[in-house]
Amino acid sequence: MIKVYGRANSINVRKVLWMLDEVGERFEREDWGRGCSSVDEPAFRSINPVGVVPVIDDGDFRLRESNTIVRYLARKHGRTDLYPEDVRTRATIEAWMDWSSTDFANGMRPVFHGLVVKNPAYVNQVEAGAKEWAQQMQVLERQLQANGPYVMGQSFTVADIPVGLVVNRWFGIAFSKPEFKAVSGYYDRLAERAPYRTHGRNGTP
């Protein structure tokens, strides 16, 4: 059974939990991170010297970085429906996953930490973060309008896991935001998947 190190309300841990449910693999989880045992403790640093969650322990194999873990699980279970073998399709999926953790998440972070975590260091960054986040949401809006209903077109892929969790956070945090009709439809379409309802659209931003 796979062991997951990381708190269940972490957006990155939730990517892994969602994917584990998609592939039907049983797992156990141990709390680490904000509000739980510190990732700076020697015990955790021996698991992941980088000091971030999530980490998985799959028998004698440990792996960090949420997007990498998601792709590993797809390959392990032969889920070419979620992560196709075609090299160009796969590279495009990976590009969207990388975007979700960089440009798409950059504006999200100050909004989340300022309004949800209540970290005073981010209070004055919320407005600028919301503006940047909306600009990147427009990128997703155009992609879904042109090529939807999922990020890669007609089929759900692993690209939708990190992107979908950032979208969940967009709708889960109360702040002034523009309307994006295609993104709203995407948000509801993802909610048709039980793993997303469990680890994404479950009331936790």
Side-chain angles (χ1 to χ4, degrees):
M1 181 185 297
I2 281 185
K3 185 169 185 176
V4 180
Y5 299 88
R7 54 191 170 82
N9 60 355
S10 158
I11 194 170
N12 289 325
V13 173
R14 288 153 73 192
K15 294 177 195 177
V16 174
L17 301 181
W18 179 356
M19 186 61 181
L20 283 163
D21 278 359
E22 288 285 351
V23 300
E25 181 150 358
R26 296 176 60 211
F27 63 89
E28 59 179 352
R29 187 184 56 78
E30 187 173 292
D31 278 333
W32 288 92
R34 190 181 67 244
C36 306
S37 299
S38 173
V39 294
D40 292 324
E41 291 183 13
F44 186 80
R45 292 290 177 148
S46 69
I47 296 166
N48 180 10
V50 176
V52 295
V53 296
V55 181
I56 64 166
D57 193 334
D58 190 7
D60 60 352
F61 178 60
R62 281 183 179 158
L63 187 63
R64 60 178 173 84
E65 304 301 331
S66 57
N67 289 345
T68 300
I69 296 169
V70 168
R71 294 189 289 262
Y72 164 75
L73 290 169
R75 291 291 301 274
K76 176 184 174 182
H77 288 269
R79 293 297 299 270
T80 55
D81 57 324
L82 302 180
Y83 193 36
E85 292 284 356
D86 176 74
V87 65
R88 294 183 178 183
T89 302
R90 181 166 287 187
T92 305
I93 286 172
E94 292 170 359
W96 280 110
M97 295 177 82
D98 291 345
W99 171 78
S100 75
S101 298
T102 53
D103 293 348
F104 198 29
N106 286 343
M108 173 193 74
R109 290 189 184 96
V111 176
F112 176 75
H113 284 280
L115 298 181
V116 178
V117 180
K118 307 294 186 183
N119 186 332
Y122 289 91
V123 170
N124 295 328
Q125 300 178 37
V126 170
E127 185 176 353
K131 182 178 179 180
E132 181 177 359
W133 197 4
Q135 290 172 344
Q136 295 301 320
M137 196 64 71
Q138 182 64 59
V139 173
L140 178 60
E141 177 78 1
R142 289 194 294 266
Q143 173 68 10
L144 294 172
Q145 287 175 340
N147 301 297
Y150 296 103
V151 169
M152 289 295 296
Q154 291 298 312
S155 300
F156 175 88
T157 69
V158 294
D160 294 294
I161 291 179
V163 172
L165 286 171
V166 176
V167 168
N168 176 72
R169 190 162 277 184
W170 170 267
F171 287 104
I173 302 173
F175 67 102
S176 179
K177 66 193 78 168
E179 179 182 8
F180 295 107
K181 291 184 178 180
V183 175
S184 293
Y186 173 68
Y187 178 55
D188 289 336
R189 184 176 292 271
L190 288 177
E192 296 171 4
R193 306 185 77 85
Y196 182 62
R197 293 195 302 272
T198 300
H199 304 293
R201 196 167 174 173
N202 59 4
T204 301

